């Protein structure tokens, strides 16, 4: 029984440790898949640099496209909200309350009240 417990403990320890062959890429998996660096001579660093710059450029283009799409979706959603009957009734109520506040301020001024915001 002791041997079985020890084996199961060692198996669970192996499962808890992250695998070296599959590093955690995090959410989005946005790594550039860079191969391991070679030690020694100059190699093709200029070619690799050019390749990475091209990737950066394409990613920036994709980012701009996504930002444009988000802006378009936000404006479409705002249009849908503006047309919603609940929003329209809320705007009517707000306009009514604003006009009431204005008339109350005018009445207070007529009775000699000085608005602290106007000073």
């Amino acid at each position: 029984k002791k041997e079985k417990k020890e084996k199961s403990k060692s198996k669970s320890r192996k499962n808890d440790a992250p695998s070296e062959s599959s590093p955690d890429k995090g959410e989005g998996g946005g790594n550039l898949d860079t191969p391991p660096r070679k030690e020694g001579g100059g190699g093709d660093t200029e070619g690799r640099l050019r390749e990475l710059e091209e990737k950066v450029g394409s990613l920036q283009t994709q980012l701009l496209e996504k930002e444009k799409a988000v802006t378009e979706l936000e404006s479409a959603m705002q249009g849908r909200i503006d047309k919603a009957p609940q929003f329209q009734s809320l705007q009517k109520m707000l306009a009514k309350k604003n006009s009431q506040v204005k008339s109350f301020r005018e009445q207070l001024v007529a009775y000699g009240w000085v608005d602290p915001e106007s000073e």
Side-chain angles (χ1 to χ4, degrees), residues 45 73 83 85:
T45 56
L73 289 172
K83 292 178 183 176

Side-chain angles (χ1 to χ4, degrees), residues 62-72:
Q62 289 177 5
L63 177 63
L64 290 174
E65 290 172 358
K66 296 295 181 186
E67 287 175 345
K68 183 179 177 183
V70 166
T71 304
E72 290 173 359

Side-chain angles (χ1 to χ4, degrees), residues 22-53:
S22 61
D24 183 24
K25 293 183 181 177
E27 282 189 33
N31 88 16
L32 295 175
D33 296 326
T34 56
R37 292 187 173 186
K38 297 177 183 176
E39 297 294 326
D44 191 21
T45 56
E46 289 180 12
R48 183 71 181 138
L49 178 63
R50 205 171 304 116
E51 178 184 330
L52 290 175
E53 287 174 345

Side-chain angles (χ1 to χ4, degrees), residues 34-98:
T34 56
R37 292 187 173 186
K38 297 177 183 176
E39 297 294 326
D44 191 21
T45 56
E46 289 180 12
R48 183 71 181 138
L49 178 63
R50 205 171 304 116
E51 178 184 330
L52 290 175
E53 287 174 345
E54 288 174 6
K55 281 186 179 183
V56 167
S58 70
L59 289 174
Q60 286 176 339
T61 303
Q62 289 177 5
L63 177 63
L64 290 174
E65 290 172 358
K66 296 295 181 186
E67 287 175 345
K68 183 179 177 183
V70 166
T71 304
E72 290 173 359
L73 289 172
E74 285 176 344
S75 63
M77 287 301 297
Q78 187 63 39
R80 290 179 66 192
I81 289 171
D82 290 344
K83 292 178 183 176
Q86 298 93 337
F87 186 75
Q88 290 176 348
S89 67
L90 184 65
Q91 281 191 321
K92 287 178 185 176
M93 283 192 320
L94 185 61
K96 182 179 176 182
K97 294 295 179 186
N98 281 339

Side-chain angles (χ1 to χ4, degrees), residues 92-111:
K92 287 178 185 176
M93 283 192 320
L94 185 61
K96 182 179 176 182
K97 294 295 179 186
N98 281 339
S99 68
Q100 285 180 341
V101 167
K102 284 179 184 178
S103 68
F104 291 152
R105 281 192 177 154
E106 289 171 359
Q107 288 176 5
L108 286 171
V109 169
Y111 289 117

